[in-house]
Amino acid sequence: MSELLRLPAGAVDLSSIPTGSTLGFPGRGKADAGSVTADLRPELDELQERLFATGRSTPETAPKVLLVLQGMDTSGKGGVVRHAIGMVDPQGVDITSFKAPTKTELAHPFLWRIERALPGPGTIGVFDRSHYEDVLIVRVRNLVPEAEWSARYDEINDWEARLVDSGTTVVKCFLHVSHEEQKERLLARLDDPTKHWKYNPGDVDERQLWPAYTEAYEAALERCSTQHAPWFVVPADRKWYRNWAVAQLLVEHLRALDLRWPAADYDVSTEQARVTSS
C-alpha cells in the first residue's frame, strides 16, 4: 500500500486522483471490509506493543511514529482514529487534535505548538490536522502575508527531515474526499439528531472555498512530499476502505522498523525459581 498510495513526484492535480478507489484492497468490497480489517488487528497490535515495550526498555534509542491526518471537512480524520488507531493499546498512543491557535501559540513560531505535541519514545502520535494548517487555512483565509506562509513549505520540509533524522517515522495521509461526498456527509449529519453535535455551520462557509482549498492542498502535497516524509493520498469516499488503508499503511511502517521484544535485563531462570518459591 505504501507504494500504491504514495504521491508521485511532480505537479499535483487532485481532480485526476480518484476519491472512490479501493486500490490494493484484497477483498471483494464493503462486504469483506470488516473481516479484512479485523485480520490486521493481531499484527498491528503486536507491532505497536513491541514499539511501546522498546520505549519503556530503551527510551534513549526507541523509535517514534507520527501519523499525520489531513483532509477536507468530513474526510474522516476522526473515523480513522476510532477504527484504525482504535485497534491498538491506547496507552501507547498520543492523539492531538489541532484547532485554531491560542494567543499563547500565536506568540510563538508556527511549529512551536507542533513540537510540544510530538510523540515520545515508543509511542505512536496521531495528529488530527497538523502543521499543514499553516499553509492551508492560513493561505486560503489570508491570515498572514503571502511572504510569510509561502516560506513555510521549506521550513516544514527542513523540520520534518530533522524529525526523521532523530528517530521519528512520519506517515502523512491526505484523506481525499470528493465535493459531492462531503455534501452527502454534511446532510447526513443534519438528518440524524445524534450527529447534530458533529455539524458546524461554519463547514458550509469553508465548503464555498473548495477551489481555494484544493489549490492550497495541491501546493502542500507537491512541495512537501519528500523522500524522508512522503505524502500518501488515501481515497476517502468509502469509509471502510479509508480506515483499512490507513491501518495497512501503519502496519507496513511499523514492520519496517524491525522491532524486537526487549531482552530481559535479569536472569530469567533465577526469577522463575524465586517466583515459584514465593
Side-chain angles (χ1 to χ4, degrees):
M1 288 303 294
S2 296
E3 291 304 316
L4 289 175
L5 297 181
R6 180 171 178 154
L7 184 71
V12 176
D13 176 8
L14 286 175
S15 68
S16 70
I17 303 176
T19 57
S21 168
T22 58
L23 192 65
F25 185 71
R28 295 168 296 174
K30 185 175 182 179
D32 291 337
S35 60
V36 171
T37 303
D39 287 344
L40 285 177
R41 183 186 293 271
E43 183 179 11
L44 180 55
D45 183 59
E46 180 176 329
L47 288 169
Q48 185 261 340
E49 189 175 359
R50 289 188 188 189
L51 177 68
F52 186 67
T54 303
R56 288 293 186 90
S57 62
T58 54
E60 64 281 357
T61 58
K64 295 147 276 190
V65 175
L66 176 61
L67 175 65
V68 175
L69 301 175
Q70 285 286 161
M72 301 283 198
D73 293 328
T74 78
S75 60
K77 297 176 288 293
V80 167
V81 170
R82 285 192 304 276
H83 297 287
I85 306 305
M87 291 195 287
V88 302
D89 187 341
Q91 70 174 331
V93 179
D94 286 334
I95 300 171
T96 305
S97 181
F98 288 97
K99 306 298 183 184
T102 64
K103 288 183 179 180
T104 299
E105 291 168 342
L106 286 171
H108 292 82
F110 77 101
L111 289 169
W112 179 79
R113 67 172 182 161
I114 309 299
E115 288 268 7
R116 290 163 61 86
L118 287 172
T123 301
I124 297 175
V126 182
F127 284 178
D128 178 345
R129 301 188 188 275
S130 67
H131 43 299
Y132 283 96
E133 293 299 302
D134 287 281
V135 290
L136 293 169
I137 189 171
V138 166
R139 168 178 170 159
V140 172
R141 290 290 186 178
N142 298 309
L143 300 181
V144 301
E146 180 176 351
E148 185 173 341
W149 61 253
S150 63
R152 290 176 175 173
Y153 299 107
D154 289 338
E155 289 183 65
I156 287 171
N157 288 339
D158 291 343
W159 179 77
E160 289 180 348
R162 293 194 300 271
L163 199 60
V164 171
D165 287 343
S166 67
T168 300
T169 295
V170 180
V171 186
K172 302 186 301 192
C173 295
F174 171 62
L175 308 182
H176 188 26
V177 70
S178 67
H179 191 251
E180 186 57 35
E181 179 64 19
Q182 184 191 66
K183 177 190 285 189
E184 294 303 314
R185 291 180 185 179
L186 289 173
L187 288 173
R189 291 177 181 180
L190 290 170
D191 289 341
D192 183 353
T194 69
K195 303 295 184 183
H196 286 176
W197 64 275
K198 296 181 70 174
Y199 181 82
N200 180 352
D203 290 345
V204 181
D205 299 325
E206 296 300 293
R207 181 171 163 78
Q208 305 308 313
L209 298 170
W210 186 278
Y213 272 108
T214 297
E215 184 177 301
Y217 265 111
E218 288 173 341
L221 293 168
E222 179 179 331
R223 297 188 62 177
C224 297
S225 191
T226 59
Q227 187 66 32
H228 54 269
W231 273 106
F232 299 98
V233 179
V234 180
D237 277 7
R238 291 180 169 88
K239 298 177 182 179
W240 57 268
Y241 173 81
R242 173 202 68 204
N243 297 336
W244 170 82
V246 175
Q248 180 65 37
L249 285 171
L250 193 54
V251 165
E252 291 175 11
H253 282 81
L254 286 169
R255 281 179 192 155
L257 293 176
D258 194 25
L259 298 161
R260 307 293 178 180
W261 291 111
D265 58 359
Y266 49 82
D267 184 78
V268 175
S269 298
T270 298
E271 295 307 309
Q272 287 173 331
R274 292 181 66 227
V275 173
T276 300
S277 63
S278 64

